[in-house]
Structures are given as structure tokens and as C-alpha cells.
Amino acid sequence: MKCSFALSALAILTLVAAIPDLQDSWRPLFNGKDLTGWDTYVGPEYDSAKKDFAGAPIGLNRDPNQVFRVLKVDGKEAIRISGENFGGISTRESFENYHLHLEFRWGKSKWHPRKTGKRDSGVLYHAVGPHGADGNFWMRSQEFQVQEEDCGDYWGVAGGVFDVPVVASGDKSYRYDPAGTLTTFREGSEAGRHCIRSRNAEKPWGQWNAIDIYCMGDTTVHVVNGEAVMVLHDSRQREGDKETPLTKGKIQIQSEGAEVFYRDIRIRPIAKIPDEMLRN
């Protein structure tokens, strides 16, 4: 009997291992020690006298001010982004059809030209092409906005395009509403390239927030602290008068004038977006 039970258990374990949905398929993108697997990119420095960014970009994997480094925060290693220079840290690998998870918490420091504004960062996904395509700082991509009181908003970066159901929200802005009118968001369109999430799900300053991004084919869902705040459709990119699909790329995290910490950065493949996320 003991032998039969052991064989049965072995058979069950073999079956489970063969079915990806039944096992933990998360893969860490941050190893908790250093920036292995990531590239840094730092754009031009801000000239306070001219009140503008001046000169050439500092460039790829050159970070003299240590904008991007690993620190222990609240007892756990995190990537600290100082915000002193605008730029980004990006995965060296590209991904498609995935669930991305990460946590962030704001720091105290802020820098010009955002010193008196809201703390700002962002998670760029489907990032493709050259570094610095947007403002000499970021790759072409779709942005999950990370900004105080605006976490989960959408921005099209350097040609990123999405269709989103929305309602007018005053001052020529638009807010996500699943029952709204499907509207194209891209630079130069009537709606522009910014769409507001359905509601503010961010935690108070000083607390850690969870971000989840579900990407399947040309559809994406933005999730803040477990709440789906936007569903976006037909991801694509615009070059001149031509639009092509944009469904695969790197992950890039922005440095944009504010100190911010990111941790527990992990990704897993998916075969579909959970129904409960698409109903919001």
C-alpha cells in the first residue's frame, strides 16, 4: 500500500508540473542585490538658469549621480530612483502576454523642474526602439502613470496609441468608463495622449502600493492595489501616418523628478486576462 501511494503521489506531482496554471510561474525581474538584467539611461541635465534641459543625454549605462541603485528600505531591498536626473531603467529582455507585478513607495526628495509639483514616475511597457525617443528620456511605449493621486492613468509615449472607453471629464480631459465612448488616445488626436483612470486607488503617502499590469495580445488592464482602474484596447504605435501593432517590448521605469522606491518586481506568462479584471 505504501508503494502504491508513493507512485500515485509522484504521478500527481508530474501532472501538476506539466500544467503551468497549477504552479507558481512568477519570475523575479529584480534579484534583490543589484541591477543585473537592467539597463540605465539618463537624459540631459536640467539647467536651472535656462529652466530647461540642456546639452546631450548622459546616456546608456552611465549614471554619475547614482540615480538608480539598490538600497534596503523598510527591511527589504528595493531599487531606489532618486529622480535627480530624468531617464529610466529598463529590462534587457522583451516580454509579451504577461502579468507584471511590482510595489512602489514615494521618497522625500524632489527635483527641478518638478520640485513643487506632484511626485511623478511611471512604468512603461511594450517599450521599443531607441532610448530617449520621448523628450530625450524614454523609449516608445505605453505608460502606466505613477504619480501622486493619478496612479493608473495612461500616457502614450513617443507614438504609443490605445483606444479606451471614456467620458468627458472637463478641461478637455477624459476619464475611463467601461460604458463610455471608445476613443483613440495618441499625440495629435483630439483626445490627446493622456487618459485618466476611473478612480484613485493609491494609498496615503509613505505606504507601499501594488501595481499589476495585465497584457494579453493588444489588450491591457491597469490595476492599483487590487482595483482594476482602466481597460485599454488595440495597442499600437504610430510612425508618421502609419500605425502598427505594439504588443511586445521591454519594461522601463521612469525617473522623473521625484524619489521613489520599487520592489517585488516580477512577471509571469498568461493565456488570458482574468474575467474579473475585464469587468471593471
Side-chain angles (χ1 to χ4, degrees), residues 96-99 125-126 142 161-163 165 176 182 213-222 230-236 245-248 270 272-274 277-279:
E96 63 181 331
N97 299 331
Y98 58 82
H99 172 193
Y125 54 97
H126 300 340
Q142 309 287 22
V161 185
F162 256 129
D163 293 339
Y176 168 73
L182 194 65
I213 302 174
Y214 292 86
C215 296
M216 184 67 207
D218 62 5
T219 301
T220 295
V221 182
H222 289 186
M230 188 181 298
V231 181
L232 309 97
H233 305 275
D234 196 10
S235 178
R236 55 201 190 274
L246 181 59
T247 59
K248 176 181 180 179
I270 58 173
K272 62 174 293 187
I273 296 173
M277 295 299 170
L278 293 170
R279 284 196 292 267

Side-chain angles (χ1 to χ4, degrees), residues 116-127:
T116 60
K118 293 181 178 181
R119 289 176 172 84
D120 196 5
S121 180
V123 177
L124 313 182
Y125 54 97
H126 300 340

Side-chain angles (χ1 to χ4, degrees), residues 28-235:
L29 295 181
F30 169 49
N31 63 17
K33 298 181 294 183
D34 54 35
L35 301 179
T36 297
W38 296 79
D39 287 318
T40 65
Y41 183 84
V42 179
E45 295 194 282
Y46 184 73
D47 188 322
S48 297
K50 295 181 179 179
K51 296 185 178 179
D52 199 2
F53 294 93
I58 293 173
L60 184 65
N61 293 320
R62 296 183 63 233
D63 186 10
N65 294 325
Q66 289 194 294
V67 173
F68 307 99
R69 60 192 180 115
V70 177
L71 295 177
K72 183 170 284 188
V73 184
D74 297 335
K76 187 175 180 180
E77 281 71 19
I79 297 176
R80 186 245 188 179
I81 300 177
S82 73
E84 180 177 0
N85 297 113
F86 280 28
I89 182 170
S90 57
T91 60
R92 293 180 176 175
E93 187 175 344
S94 293
F95 303 94
E96 63 181 331
N97 299 331
Y98 58 82
H99 172 193
L100 173 70
H101 173 89
L102 60 164
E103 297 177 357
F104 81 92
R105 179 173 80 74
W106 296 113
K108 295 181 179 180
S109 300
K110 294 198 291 183
W111 307 84
H112 289 302
R114 301 287 180 83
K115 196 170 182 65
T116 60
K118 293 181 178 181
R119 289 176 172 84
D120 196 5
S121 180
V123 177
L124 313 182
Y125 54 97
H126 300 340
V128 296
H131 289 275
D134 192 300
N136 281 325
F137 304 117
W138 305 295
M139 303 169 71
R140 171 176 294 159
S141 55
Q142 309 287 22
E143 178 177 353
F144 182 114
Q145 171 76 297
V146 178
Q147 179 173 276
E148 289 179 301
E149 301 177 357
D150 300 313
C151 192
D153 282 9
Y154 165 71
W155 282 90
V157 181
V161 185
F162 256 129
D163 293 339
V164 187
V166 296
V167 294
S169 188
D171 298 326
K172 296 184 179 180
S173 62
Y174 299 86
R175 183 178 300 277
Y176 168 73
D177 186 322
T181 302
L182 194 65
T183 302
T184 296
F185 287 86
R186 64 169 171 79
E187 190 168 9
S189 71
E190 182 178 347
R193 59 181 182 139
H194 173 220
C195 182
I196 302 171
R197 77 282 180 271
S198 59
R199 57 194 175 278
N200 182 7
E202 187 177 345
K203 294 180 180 179
W205 189 91
Q207 296 187 31
W208 287 93
N209 293 270
I211 290 173
D212 290 273
I213 302 174
Y214 292 86
C215 296
M216 184 67 207
D218 62 5
T219 301
T220 295
V221 182
H222 289 186
V223 182
V224 182
N225 293 317
E227 295 188 38
V229 297
M230 188 181 298
V231 181
L232 309 97
H233 305 275
D234 196 10
S235 178

